Amino acid sequence: MTNATDSHDDPAAGVKAQSVLLTVLGRYVLGRDVLVGTSSVLDVLTSVGVGEHATRSALDRMVKRGLLTKHRHGRRTYVGLTSRAEAILQDGHVRIWRTGAVESSWDGTWTLLSFSFPDSWQKQRHELRARLQWAGFGSLQGGLWISPSTRDVADVLDDVEGSDKVRVFYSRAESGMDVPAMLRDAWDIAGIADRYAQFLDRWNDPGSRAGGALATQLVLVTEWLEVIRQDPRLPLEHLPADWPAAPAQRLFRALHDQLDPVARMEAGERLDLRATNSEA
């Protein structure tokens, strides 16, 4: 494992200020009914390699986008989570700790989603495609998208203009169909595998990091979430035999658990947390 400040000079070579900030909020604010002092957040992100300007800009953007609320207590500024931010952070928690990176119990069912919008509906088409990609759907052709397993797409289509024109089906592939070839058509299989391989290369040597256990764990979790968010968890039986998701997940969890006791102690000492209902 390389030094956090060596391989992550700009901040963290692969992670952005907002990504690390979301990791901090998801680990130490989500579900605790607390606010966190911005000065302490600046301190923690500096140890990761994120500059003060980048962190302040990320905080301001998140307030403007309705992800954070801002509060003043004396001379100190605190931020808290909105319901929208809580939903995003909870989704990340589920992906890391519940669903995991490997789909080994697939029942053979596919969710097919089709839509056809007028040519003038470019904005609506772009929004729907972005939501489908975020949810792990792959594009087979034109307006036909596919996802493994039986998916409830209500959240994906919520508030999307033209959702009444979307059709959803559940189906199974014909026995002679070349499913691996279909996966390669709908998803960048090589790209997904490469992201796992890069994660393994980056974290496989558990050397010391100058930023300490907390900074190391924050970068670890941030990078891992970015990898699995881009993985639709395709059926393991139709992927190459050397698919790297399982060894990458084992490495992530082992390093996370190794760092966790000291990282939590550091967080308790460095993060300024305040109950949301406390008096000024």
Side-chain angles (χ1 to χ4, degrees):
M1 196 190 314
T2 55
N3 186 287
T5 55
D6 291 342
S7 65
H8 304 293
D9 293 334
D10 178 27
V15 297
K16 301 177 182 178
Q18 181 170 305
S19 299
V20 185
L21 181 55
L22 285 169
T23 300
V24 172
L25 296 170
R27 294 185 65 77
Y28 300 108
V29 178
L30 179 66
R32 299 182 64 182
D33 199 24
V34 296
L35 308 174
V36 60
T38 56
S39 60
S40 67
V41 170
L42 290 169
D43 170 62
V44 168
L45 264 68
T46 296
S47 68
V48 174
V50 180
E52 179 177 335
H53 176 72
T55 301
R56 290 189 185 278
S57 296
L59 287 167
D60 289 341
R61 285 196 305 271
M62 293 173 72
V63 170
K64 291 177 181 177
R65 292 172 55 201
L67 295 173
L68 296 177
T69 57
K70 185 179 287 188
H71 309 263
R72 294 284 298 184
H73 291 280
R75 295 183 177 181
R76 297 184 179 182
T77 302
Y78 292 77
V79 291
L81 301 176
T82 64
S83 58
R84 181 181 172 199
E86 289 176 347
I88 292 172
L89 295 174
Q90 186 60 35
D91 175 75
H93 178 82
V94 169
R95 292 194 188 212
I96 291 175
W97 301 112
R98 296 183 191 174
T99 57
V102 180
E103 176 54 86
S104 57
S105 57
W106 181 58
D107 67 359
T109 304
W110 299 90
T111 298
L112 301 177
L113 184 149
S114 68
F115 63 92
S116 179
F117 290 168
D119 292 339
S120 59
W121 283 29
Q122 294 183 7
K123 179 181 178 181
Q124 294 88 337
R125 186 181 294 107
H126 175 76
E127 179 183 1
L128 180 55
R129 286 174 174 171
R131 288 203 181 196
L132 290 171
Q133 289 173 344
W134 172 262
F137 278 79
S139 175
L140 274 182
Q141 58 186 43
L144 181 62
W145 293 69
I146 189 169
S147 175
S149 76
T150 303
R151 297 287 302 274
D152 181 356
V153 299
D155 289 344
V156 179
L157 302 178
D158 186 38
D159 294 330
V160 173
E161 184 178 357
S163 60
D164 58 318
K165 301 181 183 298
V166 176
R167 303 290 180 262
V168 180
F169 306 87
Y170 301 111
S171 182
R172 300 177 72 87
E174 189 272 330
S175 59
M177 182 176 175
D178 188 347
V179 175
M182 182 189 72
L183 298 185
R184 292 192 296 271
D185 289 339
W187 289 277
D188 180 9
I189 302 298
I192 297 170
D194 186 58
R195 283 188 284 274
Y196 281 117
Q198 289 182 30
F199 181 89
L200 284 164
D201 288 342
R202 185 188 299 274
W203 292 97
N204 208 30
D205 178 16
S208 62
R209 289 198 171 213
L214 177 59
T216 301
Q217 191 185 65
L218 290 174
V219 176
L220 173 72
V221 174
T222 301
E223 290 189 358
W224 178 245
L225 184 55
E226 289 181 350
V227 171
I228 61 175
R229 278 203 188 280
Q230 299 178 75
D231 179 4
R233 296 181 75 250
L234 301 172
L236 192 61
E237 64 193 78
H238 294 302
L239 293 170
D242 59 350
W243 191 246
Q249 179 168 269
R250 286 194 296 270
L251 176 62
F252 163 75
R253 292 185 174 178
L255 290 177
H256 175 277
D257 292 349
Q258 175 185 326
L259 293 163
D260 203 48
V262 178
R264 289 190 178 276
M265 182 179 66
E266 287 186 32
E269 295 172 347
R270 298 174 64 182
L271 288 174
D272 177 12
L273 301 178
R274 183 185 186 97
T276 55
N277 59 355
S278 63
E279 295 294 329

